[in-house]
Amino acid sequence: MISFDTKQIIKKLAQKTNNEICGFVTANNVYPCVNKSDNPQNHFLISPVDYLKVNNKEKIQFVYHSHPKNPEFSEFDKISLYNLKLRGLVYCKETDSFNYFLPESYNNKYIGRKFEIGISDCLTLITDYYKNELNIILPQINRNENWYEKNPNLVNENIPSFLDKIVLKNAQKHDIILFDMFNNNNPNHFGIYLGDELILHHPRHKLSTIEILTEKHKEKIPYVLHANYGTNE
């Protein structure tokens, strides 16, 4: 799908830095872009201005980037490319290999859900995730649009005994991240930690998505819940 010469250009660019490189591949050219990510050693971010500059010249065939060790696309890579309807190319330095991502083949049942409180919201998302991925049944919490006004402590009152409170720096994949959006020690939003500074969550009145866990997010996290697997009697 990609020519030998194009691969060689991308490999040489990747060898010059410890950060993830990124850019675009067209039929005739490779367009390197500045990685705008706040964490360029683990993620990449391309400016919309760079995208428009290239797209106005030629049709973009692939968005490329590099990984230091993992030859696979992260879930954040996939959802970003899927939303843009662009094909992806990743070069792994450790394995000296290329991998492709085709947005038309992507399917993630946790992404793109419409928001409806109590039916399809942040709590529904983590409940479905824990049941499907970990075979853990989380307790149901009855809620409506005004649940937080009626009982701000509702979340704290319903944490099951098989979930331990831990600090964010000790978070592991699959742990539940709680957000205190109003800074009053009462969590009111949930997410799933996917590892590599990525979270799966369902923002209020938006579609469920995967995002990078930013410093702004971290300021709102009072604690994380870690499951003692197999003890959810």
Side-chain angles (χ1 to χ4, degrees):
M1 299 176 74
I2 295 292
S3 71
F4 175 80
D5 289 343
T6 295
K7 290 181 179 180
Q8 290 301 111
I9 292 172
I10 294 173
K11 288 171 64 171
K12 289 179 180 179
L13 290 169
Q15 297 302 331
K16 294 179 180 179
T17 177
N18 292 324
N19 293 339
E20 291 192 7
I21 62 165
C22 55
F24 301 102
V25 175
T26 66
N28 302 309
N29 293 291
V30 174
Y31 291 91
C33 296
V34 175
N35 186 345
K36 296 288 189 178
S37 172
D38 293 332
N39 185 11
Q41 290 188 330
N42 296 298
H43 300 289
F44 78 98
L45 179 65
I46 298 177
S47 165
V49 175
D50 288 340
Y51 167 79
L52 291 173
K53 286 180 179 179
V54 176
N55 196 51
N56 288 336
K57 292 179 181 178
E58 301 182 61
K59 181 179 180 181
I60 295 172
Q61 293 188 332
F62 289 91
V63 178
Y64 76 82
H65 73 289
S66 64
H67 285 171
K69 295 182 178 181
N70 187 359
E72 303 298 327
F73 286 85
S74 71
E75 282 302 310
F76 183 72
D77 294 338
K78 293 176 182 178
I79 189 63
S80 298
L81 292 165
Y82 176 78
N83 288 336
L84 293 169
K85 298 296 184 286
L86 290 172
R87 296 185 173 190
L89 176 70
V90 63
Y91 170 66
C92 177
K93 294 169 69 174
E94 184 173 88
T95 61
D96 190 27
S97 61
F98 285 86
N99 199 3
Y100 297 93
F101 172 79
L102 305 179
E104 57 268 29
S105 65
Y106 181 64
N107 181 29
N108 187 323
K109 58 188 173 184
Y110 304 114
I111 300 300
R113 295 181 174 193
K114 293 183 178 180
F115 185 90
E116 186 173 353
I117 193 75
I119 297 176
S120 179
D121 56 18
C122 64
L123 184 55
T124 307
L125 182 64
I126 68 166
T127 299
D128 290 348
Y129 183 95
Y130 262 57
K131 178 180 178 181
N132 296 333
E133 308 301 322
L134 304 175
N135 196 30
I136 293 177
I137 306 301
L138 297 177
Q140 296 294 316
I141 301 177
N142 293 326
R143 58 204 181 280
N144 56 32
E145 285 287 349
N146 301 316
W147 71 267
Y148 192 76
E149 296 176 5
K150 294 180 179 179
N151 185 4
N153 201 39
L154 183 64
V155 173
N156 287 323
E157 291 174 352
N158 285 276
I159 296 175
S161 59
F162 61 85
L163 293 179
D164 295 331
K165 291 183 180 181
I166 63 173
V167 295
L168 178 61
K169 68 178 182 179
N170 295 331
Q172 302 175 35
K173 185 177 181 179
H174 308 309
D175 286 348
I176 301 172
I177 296 180
L178 286 85
F179 296 88
D180 176 12
M181 306 306 290
F182 301 122
N183 299 317
N184 60 5
N185 297 317
N186 292 309
N188 47 27
H189 182 57
F190 302 89
I192 297 291
Y193 185 62
L194 300 177
D196 297 326
E197 296 290 295
L198 298 177
I199 55 170
L200 166 69
H201 71 140
H202 198 162
R204 195 174 184 87
H205 301 308
K206 296 182 180 179
L207 299 179
S208 57
T209 190
I210 293 172
E211 293 182 333
I212 295 174
L213 188 62
T214 65
E215 291 302 318
K216 186 176 180 180
H217 285 129
K218 293 176 182 179
E219 292 173 357
K220 298 291 185 180
I221 299 173
Y223 55 86
V224 176
L225 295 176
H226 177 76
N228 292 312
Y229 302 112
T231 61
N232 56 325
E233 301 294 335

